[in-house]
């Protein structure tokens, strides 16, 4: 990370703002907010805000990142905005994830009604974050279905993507510019990715 992340917790009582360098990965910081919510009386916290000017590693960088989480009963809302996202040379601007029905449970965080705005497209989604190492996301673009599940245990990371009638062009950002471009068609099937503690990776696909 090339700059500090600032987190602010707005409370009715009990809490005080938190600021300064936190974690090297945004997901862990978001999970910290979940821990704070579970450990603090629900009447105490009304909003959690996180902002970072620049979050980066050798493969991906994000600029102008902001997270706003408003806690309401029975469900709150969440907004994550990224001004610029660069991944392996591919650049996206003004990406936003929103959830208008976000519920915090002892077992994790559940979004029952959300959307992803990317390249001008608004994609409905739901997600479930059980802990900092386990999550699932379901995206439902028009006439498509993408289900992503990820978990990590004892140094092993397992992820799967189940696709139904997915637009093949969504893989285009992953294809090197030296190879032919994907411009048309759909794909269905399952992709599985596993890594071990030595970071050896294995990919399997049934398409």
């Amino acid at each position: 990370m090339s700059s500090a992340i600032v987190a602010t917790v707005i409370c009715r009582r009990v809490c005080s703002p938190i600021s300064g360098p936190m974690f090297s990965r945004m997901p862990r910081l978001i999970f910290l907010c979940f821990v704070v919510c579970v450990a603090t009386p629900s009447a105490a916290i009304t909003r959690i805000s996180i902002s970072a000017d620049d979050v980066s590693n050798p493969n991906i960088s994000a600029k102008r990142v902001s997270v706003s989480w408003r806690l309401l009963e029975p469900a709150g809302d969440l907004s994550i905005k990224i001004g610029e996202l660069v991944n392996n040379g591919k650049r996206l601007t003004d990406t936003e994830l929103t959830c208008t029905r976000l519920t915090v449970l002892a077992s994790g965080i559940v979004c029952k009604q959300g959307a992803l705005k990317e390249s001008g497209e608004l994609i409905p989604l739901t997600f479930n974050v059980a802990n900092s190492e386990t999550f699932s996301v379901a995206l439902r673009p028009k006439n498509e279905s993408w289900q992503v599940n990820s978990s990590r245990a004892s140094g092993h990371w397992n992820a799967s993507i189940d696709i139904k009638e997915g637009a093949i062009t969504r893989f285009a950002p992953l294809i090197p510019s030296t190879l032919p471009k994907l411009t048309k068609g759909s794909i269905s099937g399952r992709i599985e990715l596993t890594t071990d503690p030595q970071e050896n990776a294995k990919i399997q696909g049934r398409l």
Side-chain angles (χ1 to χ4, degrees), residues 2 11 21 47 56 58 79 87 93 96 101 115 153 157 172-173 181 195:
S2 57
C11 315
R47 183 185 295 273
S56 61
S79 173
N87 183 14
T93 58
E96 182 176 2
R101 291 185 60 195
W157 179 59
K181 294 183 178 180
T195 64

Side-chain angles (χ1 to χ4, degrees), residues 61-96:
S61 69
K63 300 181 183 298
R64 303 185 304 281
V65 179
S66 65
V67 179
S68 178
W69 184 358
R70 189 169 55 146
L71 286 85
L72 303 172
E73 294 292 344
D77 56 62
L78 172 72
S79 173
I80 302 175
K81 298 180 180 180
I82 303 176
E84 180 183 82
L85 180 65
V86 179
N87 183 14
N88 293 320
K90 307 295 182 179
R91 179 174 176 269
L92 300 173
T93 58
D94 298 324
T95 301
E96 182 176 2

Side-chain angles (χ1 to χ4, degrees), residues 31-172:
F31 184 69
L32 171 66
C33 294
F34 161 67
V35 173
V36 170
C37 292
V38 172
T40 308
S42 59
I45 301 175
T46 60
R47 183 185 295 273
I48 296 174
S49 298
I50 304 170
S51 64
D53 292 331
D54 189 353
V55 181
S56 61
N57 65 31
N59 297 316
I60 188 170
S61 69
K63 300 181 183 298
R64 303 185 304 281
V65 179
S66 65
V67 179
S68 178
W69 184 358
R70 189 169 55 146
L71 286 85
L72 303 172
E73 294 292 344
D77 56 62
L78 172 72
S79 173
I80 302 175
K81 298 180 180 180
I82 303 176
E84 180 183 82
L85 180 65
V86 179
N87 183 14
N88 293 320
K90 307 295 182 179
R91 179 174 176 269
L92 300 173
T93 58
D94 298 324
T95 301
E96 182 176 2
L97 184 150
T98 58
C99 179
T100 55
R101 291 185 60 195
L102 189 74
T103 305
V104 179
L105 306 171
S107 57
I109 306 170
V110 179
C111 175
K112 296 183 179 180
Q113 183 174 316
L116 175 66
K117 180 182 177 183
E118 189 270 315
S119 299
E121 182 181 12
L122 195 64
I123 303 173
L125 64 80
T126 59
F127 64 80
N128 187 333
V129 181
N131 54 53
S132 62
E133 306 290 354
T134 304
F135 68 89
S136 63
V137 181
L139 298 102
R140 301 283 188 269
K142 186 177 180 180
N143 301 322
E144 301 177 53
S145 174
W146 299 72
Q147 175 73 46
V148 180
N149 296 289
S150 174
S151 64
R152 182 187 295 271
S154 302
H156 292 80
W157 179 59
N158 299 281
S160 64
I161 306 175
D162 292 287
I163 310 166
K164 293 182 180 179
E165 298 299 325
I168 200 168
T169 53
R170 298 191 188 281
F171 287 98

